[in-house]
Amino acid sequence: MARKNEPSFRESVDMMFNRAAALMDLPPGLEEKIRVCNATYTVRFGVRLRGQIQTFVGYRSVHSEHMEPVKGGIRYAMSVNQDEVEALAALMTYKCALVEAPFGGSKGGLCIDPRQYEEHELEQITRRFAYELAKRDLINPSQNVPAPDMGTGEREMAWIADQYARMNTTDINARACVTGKPLNAGGIAGRVEATGRGVQYALREFFRDSQGVAKSGLTGKLDGKRVIVQGLGNVGYHAAKFLSEEDGALITGIIERDGALVSKDGLDVDAVRNWIAKHGGVTGYPDGTYVADGTKVLEEPCDILIPAAMEGVIHLGNAKKIKAPLIIEAANGPITSGADEVLRDKGIVIIPDMYANAGGVTVSYFEWVKNLSHIRFGRMQRRAEETRTQMLVDELERLSADKELGWTLSPGFKQNYLRGADELELVRSGLDDTMRAAYQSMASIWHERADAVDLRTAAYLVSIDRVAKSYRAKGL
Ligand code: NAD
């Protein structure tokens, strides 16, 4: 829902697009073709639950088919509406182009509060929704491939995959109809953590960019940086966990639906997550100070702010009060276009959503490729790799046995070097490579072009150019 005096989510995305498109020299009409959403399908279906029929409203929006299949998550939330799915579908187009995932943009949603339903009821509802979409090819391995988003996860993706397979019994690629599935149902190692992992890799890459770091006014690396994260769901939890456990960042604030926790010494992310799982919220958590008005914590001083819950949380009403010098948009659209301007004027650096949370679609791409190739990554080469490295290690050991040379192998070297990469390592390597390359493509424009005033504009410039080239290659 749009806030008073502010554009809707879709209008906000369009305005950010327009700002970048105005700096480009696109042929007449192409700019509009890229911006508009191709089609949005609305479905209303009934499911018999608890003795009566309940009607649900769902959407699947296709923003751009310059590449197919189109790709984008399915969200379960009461706030889902046409404007929102269209905004999210557009962001998917730009996101896929930026990280060079060969997909068009799409998004889906169901107006439902999943917490109000039993598991078997959610399965019934999900299967029915999937049936409605699949029979119109809005779920299809070569046309439209959904993934998890807010309120959905591996479980829902497994139901969708199974529903599609039941309806398409001879489709050998049926498993590729959806990504984010559990490993035993055709998923890929590292998909659940992928978006949070991508946020971590994005921040690591940002801190390697000395010019970018200087623009934010920060210094040094991630170690010791104070981080506030909003939303300890899939994306926020993994981002906060990896940043604190592996990069030495301090999670000084966690904002959830029922309030926030703050601690200047850093919160234990796993302990908070377990508390939420048990008690339904952060209230009562003993090792931090509880703040009832959680959104106020967005305004607390910190080094890095990670909105990882939902759109529109930083708006004209609070943008002026934000103190973080660096914001990374782990959620989609957490900053309205008006707030974006205010923050830019304040000199705050924003790592934009279309890049920051692209880890999910990147690993979804790997999962889709795995499903189409019907083989786990690394299965053919892992042992061959080990055999070759064994030869080298044997040779080194032979040399180190020579007392005159005086060589010794470091402890642990043999084990670490000998081990061929498994699927998880390959996925992380592919994700890291993708996040680095995408950052560099937008940061080089940000640093070189005076009119690319921020990373978001630079990201749009890269994406729009790639989508435009795709359309032109099709003769448009
Ligand atoms: P999720 O449902 O797993 O988690 C969302 C979390 O935010 C929950 O813990 C919820 O309690 C909390 N939350 C909801 N409303 C809140 C509010 N008003 N204030 C504070 N906390 C609130 O969802 P997710 O998959 O982590 O998605 C979060 C965001 O990341 C969304 O914008 C989504 O579009 C985006 N995203 C997700 C993925 C993915 O792979 N899951 C990929 C790209 C982008």
Side-chain angles (χ1 to χ4, degrees):
M1 199 60 74
R3 294 176 63 86
K4 223 173 141 218
N5 302 329
E6 291 212 60
S8 72
F9 188 9
R10 190 180 54 74
E11 287 163 345
S12 223
V13 171
D14 284 353
M15 286 163 78
M16 292 171 179
F17 172 97
N18 290 344
R19 207 178 60 212
L23 307 176
M24 301 177 75
D25 192 18
L26 294 171
L30 185 57
E31 178 183 325
E32 195 187 351
K33 174 67 208 84
I34 297 173
R35 186 182 47 243
V36 298
C37 197
N38 287 4
T40 303
Y41 172 70
T42 308
V43 57
R44 297 176 189 84
F45 58 89
V47 182
R48 182 174 288 279
L49 297 168
R50 304 172 199 179
Q52 58 179 13
I53 294 173
Q54 280 191 42
T55 301
F56 295 90
V57 184
Y59 304 89
R60 187 79 186 156
S61 177
V62 176
H63 174 261
S64 174
E65 291 151 294
H66 67 289
M67 285 203 192
E68 285 182 315
V70 293
K71 189 115 194 50
I74 289 187
R75 173 176 287 197
Y76 282 4
M78 286 310 288
S79 55
V80 164
N81 58 48
Q82 182 168 344
D83 184 280
E84 183 186 81
V85 285
E86 289 187 355
L88 291 165
L91 281 175
M92 282 306 297
T93 297
Y94 310 134
K95 190 180 303 184
C96 291
L98 185 65
V99 295
E100 299 186 289
F103 303 124
S106 181
K107 200 78 177 194
L110 191 63
C111 295
I112 185 175
D113 178 359
R115 291 168 302 176
Q116 305 304 319
Y117 295 90
E118 303 281 334
E119 185 166 359
H120 70 275
E121 294 173 326
L122 276 174
E123 178 175 351
Q124 247 181 295
I125 299 162
T126 303
R127 282 184 180 279
R128 184 62 207 277
F129 186 31
Y131 169 81
E132 293 294 334
L133 297 181
K135 77 175 179 190
R136 291 169 180 87
D137 287 337
L138 290 164
I139 296 176
N140 183 304
S142 60
Q143 307 236 317
N144 197 324
V145 182
D149 194 73
M150 218 166 115
T152 59
E154 286 189 323
R155 183 183 63 174
E156 288 74 16
M157 301 307 116
W159 292 331
I160 292 173
D162 185 62
Q163 184 63 34
Y164 178 86
R166 286 186 192 190
M167 295 166 69
N168 298 275
T169 50
T170 56
D171 185 347
I172 196 169
N173 293 322
R175 279 185 157 182
C177 76
V178 65
T179 57
K181 304 177 291 291
L183 258 181
N184 63 4
I188 193 168
R191 174 60 184 92
V192 176
E193 63 167 48
T195 310
R197 184 65 78 186
V199 171
Q200 176 196 32
Y201 289 166
L203 279 171
R204 283 184 180 175
E205 189 59 14
F206 175 80
F207 278 95
R208 282 185 206 109
D209 170 15
S210 50
Q211 257 181 291
V213 175
K215 284 182 187 177
S216 71
L218 287 166
T219 52
K221 297 273 161 209
L222 272 164
D223 190 36
K225 293 284 180 293
R226 298 161 305 156
V227 175
I228 294 178
V229 56
Q230 182 189 41
L232 209 64
N234 180 324
V235 179
Y237 163 69
H238 286 106
K241 177 182 166 71
F242 299 146
L243 288 168
S244 59
E245 287 179 359
E246 297 172 15
D247 297 288
L250 282 181
I251 309 301
T252 53
I254 291 177
I255 308 166
E256 259 295 331
R257 292 176 205 260
D258 62 323
L261 297 170
V262 289
S263 163
K264 66 175 173 34
D265 302 322
L267 295 154
D268 178 335
V269 177
D270 273 316
V272 177
R273 171 91 159 178
N274 291 338
W275 183 272
I276 296 173
K278 211 161 157 194
H279 304 274
V282 292
T283 314
Y285 179 76
D287 298 319
T289 308
Y290 174 73
V291 180
D293 186 359
T295 51
K296 280 272 159 220
V297 174
L298 290 168
E299 301 161 20
E300 286 292 311
C302 65
D303 299 308
I304 307 170
L305 179 60
I306 312 184
M310 56 186 294
E311 61 265 20
V313 293
I314 301 175
H315 42 76
L316 285 176
N318 62 2
K320 279 204 181 97
K321 299 181 211 147
I322 302 290
K323 296 176 192 71
L326 176 65
I327 303 178
I328 177 160
E329 295 183 318
N332 282 308
I335 300 176
T336 63
S337 65
D340 192 53
E341 236 174 284
V342 174
L343 298 174
R344 198 164 354 107
D345 289 348
K346 279 170 66 108
I348 293 176
V349 170
I350 299 167
I351 304 179
D353 47 6
M354 75 168 85
Y355 166 69
N357 66 38
V361 74
T362 301
V363 177
S364 276
Y365 168 39
F366 302 154
E367 180 177 334
W368 181 73
V369 171
K370 174 186 178 181
N371 293 153
L372 294 180
S373 55
H374 300 267
I375 191 164
R376 155 170 62 77
F377 287 110
R379 183 163 172 180
M380 299 295 282
Q381 61 275 52
R382 185 174 179 190
R383 302 299 166 195
E385 208 182 296
E386 283 181 5
T387 309
R388 293 180 74 82
T389 44
Q390 179 75 56
M391 279 165 62
L392 181 65
V393 167
D394 288 349
E395 191 61 13
L396 287 174
E397 277 185 327
R398 193 182 62 74
L399 290 170
S400 61
D402 183 332
K403 294 278 175 298
E404 273 179 35
L405 283 172
W407 290 12
T408 48
L409 296 181
S410 316
F413 166 79
K414 198 170 151 184
Q415 259 103 351
N416 292 334
Y417 188 66
L418 269 183
R419 207 165 39 88
D422 61 13
E423 186 171 82
L424 183 59
E425 281 171 272
L426 291 170
V427 162
R428 285 183 182 161
S429 149
L431 175 60
D432 194 9
D433 185 58
T434 304
M435 296 307 289
R436 289 186 198 214
Y439 182 84
Q440 283 159 20
S441 65
M442 58 177 192
S444 57
I445 292 184
W446 181 36
H447 297 323
E448 280 161 24
R449 273 182 69 160
D451 55 0
V453 285
D454 57 5
L455 272 171
R456 193 191 311 280
T457 309
Y460 270 104
L461 287 171
V462 175
S463 298
I464 298 171
D465 182 55
R466 289 185 182 158
V467 178
K469 285 193 174 120
S470 235
Y471 273 122
R472 276 190 224 171
K474 285 176 186 289
L476 252 182

